[in-house]
Amino acid sequence: MMFITTPSIVLEHLKNLSPILSGSKMNPLLEGFLFETNKNFLKISAYSEDLRAQTSINIDVVPSESSKSFEKGFVINGKKIIEILQSLPEQPITFILLPDESSIKIKTDQGEYKLSVFDGEQYPSISREDGYSGNFTIKSDVLRNGFEKTIFAASDDIELRPNLCGVYCHFTDNESIFVATDTHRLIEYIRTDSRPEVKTIFIIPKKNIVVIAKILTKFDDACEVKFTKNTVLIQIGEYTVISKLVSGDFPRYRDIFPKQSERKLTVDRNSLISAIKRVRVFSNMENHKVQFEMNGSLLKITSVNEEYNESGIEQLTCTYQGAQFVISFNAGLLAEQLQNINSDAVVFEMTEQNKAVLIKPSQDNSGEQVTSLIMPIVGF
């Protein structure tokens, strides 16, 4: 087997798939990419227990005189091949497989490099599953935004809350809903301009979404989604990604949304973010507590660290409906949620000091709805 390509073309695809590779030394095969040639295409695969992906690129295949070859391709160490390709200037490079030596030679104008490889026969199968229970097409930007707007709120507690360690995806005839929560905060992102014309629900693991979202950023086209009870397949361009789904049910999250809001605060989003970032410097390092005090058209933001006798206070003009009210939040969690909202002003809907608070843009973008929920800090 011998083929010619360029470093940049191969490197881009390897970097997109590299987060899938295992860092464990227990199975060196899973630290590598599977390379397979088929006519004038190089197919590259990456495998982990929860996520599998394939992509392909055009190459120039040169007939080989060797009588021996790896029929199922070869597996090359991911870290080493990426480091080599990153260091090479853009130029034609030739891959020459040496089956008798279980190695591959990479030739360039400057020199040649030989790496050991494994027979692809030993690599886990990446074949697509049959018997998908349904499928639909969706714009890549809808899927990508759904993931990016919610993933940061997903839980990392895989031991106690595995069903929250991902993004809940609910597709209906006329909208696409994405939700994530870690019980301290929750984000719901809805696209009403997306019509999958299918009804299905599944939860994609947080760590897999990082890979999927990165690939989706490369394309403006629609992608095809197929699903079973346990897996989801996403096909876009030359990429095919197969992810295991999170088992278990997602909580009935809308049950905790405040039904009636006695207090509403409307404030400029950027001014509020800047104020929180300045005031949080003086907060208690354990909970990063900032206090909101609302009265008429004035919002006072306070943070105190009694241990060091430090404090910070800022005042912003606002629009507030309701009696004078005081409530506290984790500054870091709140700022992150506010940065996720694309709106000049935001609206806080509050009931009591110990009840969940809704945060919404003052005006939704066309076809898009974002609702954030955050639990206040009580005590301390």
Side-chain angles (χ1 to χ4, degrees):
M1 176 194 297
M2 184 163 66
F3 60 90
I4 302 172
T5 183
T6 57
S8 61
I9 294 176
V10 181
L11 187 59
E12 178 186 358
H13 289 74
L14 296 184
K15 285 185 174 180
N16 289 335
L17 302 188
S18 62
I20 302 175
L21 301 182
S22 170
S24 171
K25 302 296 182 181
M26 298 296 293
N27 187 349
L29 279 173
L30 301 187
E31 295 181 280
F33 298 103
L34 173 65
F35 281 24
E36 300 173 273
T37 57
N38 182 11
K39 296 182 180 179
N40 287 331
F41 287 96
L42 170 65
K43 184 165 66 175
I44 304 172
S45 303
Y47 179 96
S48 72
E49 183 179 352
D50 299 321
L51 185 64
R52 296 167 283 167
Q54 290 180 337
T55 184
S56 61
I57 58 177
N58 289 309
I59 57 172
D60 293 323
V61 177
V62 180
S64 174
E65 297 179 358
S66 174
S67 60
K68 182 179 178 182
S69 182
F70 293 151
E71 294 184 1
K72 299 294 184 179
F74 61 91
V75 180
I76 189 167
N77 182 273
K79 183 178 180 180
K80 290 181 180 179
I81 187 62
I82 287 176
E83 287 183 353
I84 291 172
L85 295 178
Q86 283 182 147
S87 66
L88 291 174
E90 190 66 0
Q91 62 183 301
I93 55 175
T94 304
F95 287 75
I96 305 171
L97 183 63
L98 307 171
D100 293 327
E101 302 178 29
S102 293
S103 63
I104 190 163
K105 184 184 294 184
I106 303 172
K107 296 186 66 174
T108 70
D109 291 340
Q110 291 82 19
E112 58 183 49
Y113 319 90
K114 188 162 69 171
L115 291 174
S116 62
V117 298
F118 296 95
D119 189 341
E121 184 72 37
Q122 307 170 53
Y123 203 76
S125 172
I126 314 267
S127 60
R128 305 181 190 184
E129 298 182 24
D130 295 323
Y132 286 97
S133 55
N135 68 87
F136 60 93
T137 58
I138 186 171
K139 293 180 180 179
S140 60
D141 72 296
V142 172
L143 197 58
R144 183 185 70 249
N145 287 335
F147 292 154
E148 292 178 346
K149 289 285 188 180
T150 56
I151 186 173
F152 70 90
S155 175
D156 293 313
D157 192 348
I158 194 67
E159 296 295 330
L160 297 179
R161 298 187 178 97
N163 60 322
L164 303 185
C165 296
V167 173
Y168 169 84
C169 305
H170 183 188
F171 301 100
T172 70
D173 291 341
N174 53 20
E175 63 182 9
S176 302
I177 305 171
F178 304 86
V179 186
T181 182
D182 58 6
T183 72
H184 300 291
R185 56 186 173 175
L186 180 145
I187 310 295
E188 179 189 60
Y189 177 78
I190 301 176
R191 288 292 292 262
T192 55
D193 59 351
S194 171
R195 300 182 179 276
E197 298 183 353
V198 67
K199 295 181 180 180
T200 187
I201 294 173
F202 48 74
I203 307 171
I204 302 180
K206 181 177 182 177
K207 61 180 181 180
N208 294 358
I209 285 176
V210 174
V211 178
I212 297 169
K214 184 177 181 180
I215 293 172
L216 291 173
T217 60
K218 308 291 181 182
F219 299 93
D220 296 322
D221 305 328
C223 56
E224 182 179 11
V225 179
K226 297 181 180 180
F227 53 89
T228 67
K229 180 180 179 181
N230 301 312
T231 62
V232 62
L233 179 149
I234 299 173
Q235 171 77 56
I236 184 165
E238 62 270 25
Y239 287 87
T240 299
V241 183
I242 304 172
S243 170
K244 282 189 177 180
L245 298 175
V246 174
S247 60
D249 296 325
F250 202 75
R252 296 169 58 90
Y253 66 94
R254 286 187 177 173
D255 290 348
I256 63 173
F257 280 18
K259 301 299 185 292
Q260 293 182 335
S261 300
E262 302 172 1
R263 303 171 176 88
K264 288 188 179 182
L265 165 70
T266 304
V267 61
D268 181 80
R269 184 181 68 93
N270 287 328
S271 298
L272 181 58
I273 291 173
S274 297
I276 291 172
K277 287 183 176 180
R278 288 189 292 268
V279 171
R280 71 173 294 184
V281 174
F282 306 94
S283 66
N284 184 306
M285 296 303 293
E286 292 184 6
N287 57 18
H288 302 286
K289 175 182 173 182
V290 292
Q291 177 181 282
F292 282 21
E293 182 178 348
M294 292 146 278
N295 190 12
S297 61
L298 186 66
L299 168 63
K300 184 165 71 172
I301 306 170
T302 306
S303 188
V304 177
N305 189 325
E306 295 181 352
E307 182 179 357
Y308 295 99
N309 192 28
E310 296 177 342
S311 64
I313 300 174
E314 288 217 15
Q315 294 183 344
L316 297 176
T317 57
C318 67
T319 300
Y320 175 64
Q321 301 172 17
Q324 184 175 1
F325 187 60
V326 175
I327 193 169
S328 300
F329 303 101
N330 179 295
L333 297 184
L334 179 57
E336 191 172 30
Q337 284 183 273
L338 292 172
Q339 289 169 336
N340 188 56
I341 298 174
N342 185 21
S343 175
D344 291 337
V346 289
V347 179
F348 288 70
E349 297 184 3
M350 301 162 285
T351 55
E352 300 177 27
Q353 291 179 325
N354 61 344
K355 296 292 179 65
V357 174
L358 283 180
I359 309 173
K360 300 178 179 180
S362 60
Q363 185 174 4
D364 283 324
N365 294 320
S366 177
E368 179 183 76
Q369 297 176 12
V370 180
T371 301
S372 295
L373 182 148
I374 186 169
M375 296 301 297
I377 295 177
V378 181
F380 296 92

